[in-house]
Amino acid sequence: MPFTSPKYFAALTIAIAAMSPYSVFASTAADDAFKQGVVSSKAGDYALAIERFLQAKKAGKSSAALYHNLGVAYFKQGRYSEALTAFGEASRSAKLASLSFYNMGLVEEKRGNQADAAKWFEKSRNIATTETLRRLAERKLGLRDSAIVPYIAYLEAFVGNDSNPQLVDETSNLAVERDGDNFLGTLLYGRYHFGGDAKQGGYISGTGYIRRYADVNDEDATNLGIGVGYIQLLRAWRLDYQLTANQLDIDGDTIQNSINAALNAQYSLPSAYIDTRIALETVNGDDGNGYDYLSGERMQLRMRYNDTFASLRWRVGYELNLNDRNQLITTDSTGAISERFSASPLQHTFSLHANLPLTANLTAELSGDYRLSRYDEQEIRAGALEAERDDKRWSSQVGVRYQFSRGWATRLDATHWDNDSNFDAYSYQRNEITLAVSKTFN
């Protein structure tokens, strides 16, 4: 019998639950109801099985085996959101975590969420307790015995409105008015793997981002990147070594070119995972266009904890950015420094993200972050030495995403930024609404 057949899925989940210590039947109403639910599941009467499992839960039973068998019954009835919640509860047991993650991948696959399905299959593979389960997860990931997907491409087109593209503080004395503007653009990402085996392999990648405003054309942006990398799987660790080159253009002028070397490390826990990133970037500001002050180095350190609560997926994170760049200095007719601007902030960012499935295809998302920026030099304005710049920025985003079949999706996001600086010229508020349609190929 094929491992991926529905009959094998049902038999595997019920057999493991029945053999676990949690399913030893005692002479209680809860255990009797649970036993009846298992019998109904084996007979294919999943509606009755759900009724019996819920009776057991109401009577006080809360074992991982109960939640796992309840998830199987929900899955067989096509009640995918409830199945995801039940499997999420079962995954808190170390004994059933890998199997639960695999089944959560099957649920997301049925809902058309291929990217989320791949994440659950990968988590299952990383902590698989049996060779059979590991191979099942690997087949789902790469259609072969490999945890590395051969290729993936993502294309997104978007339109929206930006209330403050130039980040202007309307209360300052700047000779610039704050004008909102409509925009459109596209985002493209592609990655192709070559060589390697189930535990490691190299890849090449490319990114492209284009945004064009209707009127405020001096904020039109193009960011292009190309890179190489190597993925290595070491038990619960997934290591991704990256080297990328990027170019940023604003209003048709090249602002900077950069080389970025990074290590992304993901560690899988029984019911959660931690991802970290350390990166060093060398930036070359384009002197011909007046951006030499951006030249220098930047180091990034990031750590995020990812977990689930019922069907709610959430993430909390911290990021540290260290910058050592040139300064923008202008002089007067005598050669004295009249203006000095620092481009080297020390930044601490605290973030929170959550998404909640509302239906089989509709997901709500909420995120926010708080960033503290302190610049390393006192600014000079009109020849006078002033304070070091300190910024505090809050941002929040709320959105919904609808997943169609065959990799198609659409999203609607509303984002707000509020930057408070000790220099009024750097304080601003900004609101943005974005509607996007995307297609994933893999």
Side-chain angles (χ1 to χ4, degrees):
M1 181 184 297
F3 288 140
T4 54
S5 71
K7 290 183 178 179
Y8 178 79
F9 167 79
L12 176 66
T13 53
I14 292 176
I16 287 182
M19 290 188 295
S20 77
Y22 299 107
S23 63
V24 176
F25 303 127
S27 56
T28 66
D31 288 335
D32 287 344
F34 176 67
K35 182 177 180 180
Q36 293 168 12
V38 172
V39 172
S40 297
S41 290
K42 290 180 177 179
D45 191 347
Y46 296 107
L48 181 58
I50 292 171
E51 182 181 336
R52 294 293 181 257
F53 289 141
L54 291 178
Q55 287 177 359
K57 180 181 176 183
K58 186 175 181 180
K61 194 172 186 66
S62 59
S63 67
L66 169 66
Y67 284 113
H68 202 279
N69 283 324
L70 183 59
V72 172
Y74 278 138
F75 180 88
K76 302 300 289 186
Q77 288 282 292
R79 296 166 65 174
Y80 299 127
S81 292
E82 292 159 299
L84 194 67
T85 299
F87 287 135
E89 291 293 331
S91 71
R92 297 183 180 278
S93 164
K95 293 182 178 181
L96 292 180
S98 179
L99 182 59
S100 297
F101 291 154
Y102 179 80
N103 289 340
M104 291 168 82
L106 293 179
V107 172
E108 293 290 16
E109 196 173 55
K110 282 290 188 180
R111 297 167 67 180
N113 300 333
Q114 299 300 326
D116 287 337
K119 292 178 183 178
W120 291 119
F121 290 139
E122 185 169 331
K123 290 183 69 174
S124 175
R125 192 219 68 85
N126 287 342
I127 62 171
T129 53
T130 67
E131 183 66 14
T132 298
L133 188 55
R134 184 186 70 80
R135 288 181 178 273
L136 283 171
E138 288 179 348
R139 290 176 186 177
K140 285 294 185 180
L141 283 165
L143 302 180
R144 57 190 175 94
D145 287 347
S146 171
I148 300 177
V149 179
Y151 73 92
I152 185 170
Y154 177 83
L155 176 63
E156 178 180 273
F158 57 85
V159 296
N161 180 267
D162 187 340
S163 70
N164 188 8
Q166 297 170 303
L167 307 183
V168 174
D169 174 29
E170 61 183 2
T171 64
S172 71
N173 295 321
L174 294 177
V176 180
E177 293 184 2
R178 188 174 79 175
D179 293 320
D181 200 4
N182 298 321
F183 61 84
L184 57 82
T186 185
L187 170 65
L188 173 65
Y189 173 77
R191 188 172 69 187
Y192 176 77
H193 287 269
F194 57 87
D197 54 26
K199 295 183 180 295
Q200 56 193 13
Y203 65 86
I204 57 175
S205 64
T207 57
Y209 175 83
I210 299 173
R211 176 185 283 217
R212 296 291 183 265
Y213 285 93
D215 298 315
V216 189
N217 302 124
D218 55 355
E219 298 299 328
D220 289 349
T222 301
N223 197 339
L224 302 175
I226 188 170
V228 295
Y230 190 84
I231 293 176
Q232 186 176 24
L233 302 176
L234 298 173
R235 292 186 176 272
W237 285 97
R238 183 183 192 274
L239 305 177
D240 186 356
Y241 310 89
Q242 298 176 336
L243 182 65
T244 58
N246 294 276
Q247 177 175 306
L248 173 63
D249 293 354
I250 300 293
D251 192 22
D253 294 330
T254 298
I255 303 300
Q256 66 179 37
N257 294 283
S258 62
I259 301 293
N260 187 294
L263 169 61
N264 298 303
Q266 179 177 303
Y267 182 77
S268 293
L269 301 168
S271 62
Y273 67 94
I274 298 171
D275 67 84
T276 61
R277 175 180 172 87
I278 179 169
L280 179 62
E281 183 178 44
T282 299
V283 181
N284 180 27
D286 193 292
D287 191 25
N289 290 322
Y291 294 101
D292 181 61
Y293 68 94
L294 295 176
S295 297
E297 287 76 38
R298 180 176 76 97
M299 176 175 283
Q300 177 193 35
L301 300 170
R302 185 183 71 198
M303 178 174 289
R304 300 186 300 195
Y305 177 80
N306 305 259
D307 204 345
T308 59
F309 179 76
S311 59
L312 176 71
R313 295 190 291 272
W314 60 274
R315 178 181 71 228
V316 61
Y318 168 74
E319 182 175 316
L320 171 67
N321 277 285
L322 304 167
N323 288 272
D324 183 16
R325 306 198 189 198
N326 294 340
Q327 299 174 344
L328 177 60
I329 296 177
T330 58
T331 59
D332 58 22
S333 57
T334 67
I337 297 177
S338 58
E339 305 285 341
R340 182 176 70 187
F341 163 80
S342 172
S344 299
L346 170 65
Q347 295 178 319
H348 304 273
T349 304
F350 306 88
S351 62
L352 178 65
H353 176 85
N355 62 59
L356 177 67
L358 302 177
T359 68
N361 300 93
L362 184 65
T363 302
E365 298 186 351
L366 176 66
S367 61
D369 68 55
Y370 178 61
R371 189 182 72 184
L372 297 169
S373 302
R374 184 173 182 83
Y375 290 75
D376 64 346
E377 294 284 349
Q378 292 176 266
E379 292 207 358
I380 296 178
R381 294 172 167 238
L385 186 64
E386 300 196 23
E388 294 178 348
R389 176 181 168 187
D390 287 314
D391 286 13
K392 301 177 181 66
R393 192 195 72 179
W394 292 90
S395 72
S396 59
Q397 183 180 80
V398 61
V400 290
R401 175 185 176 87
Y402 189 85
Q403 186 75 42
F404 299 97
S405 61
R406 301 183 181 275
W408 287 96
T410 184
R411 65 179 177 87
L412 176 64
D413 297 326
T415 310
H416 173 75
W417 294 269
D418 189 337
N419 194 71
D420 181 24
S421 176
N422 58 334
F423 290 94
D424 288 342
Y426 302 126
S427 295
Y428 64 86
Q429 290 189 355
R430 182 185 188 186
N431 295 293
E432 188 173 289
I433 296 177
T434 305
L435 176 64
V437 176
S438 62
K439 168 70 172 176
T440 301
F441 305 86
N442 57 12

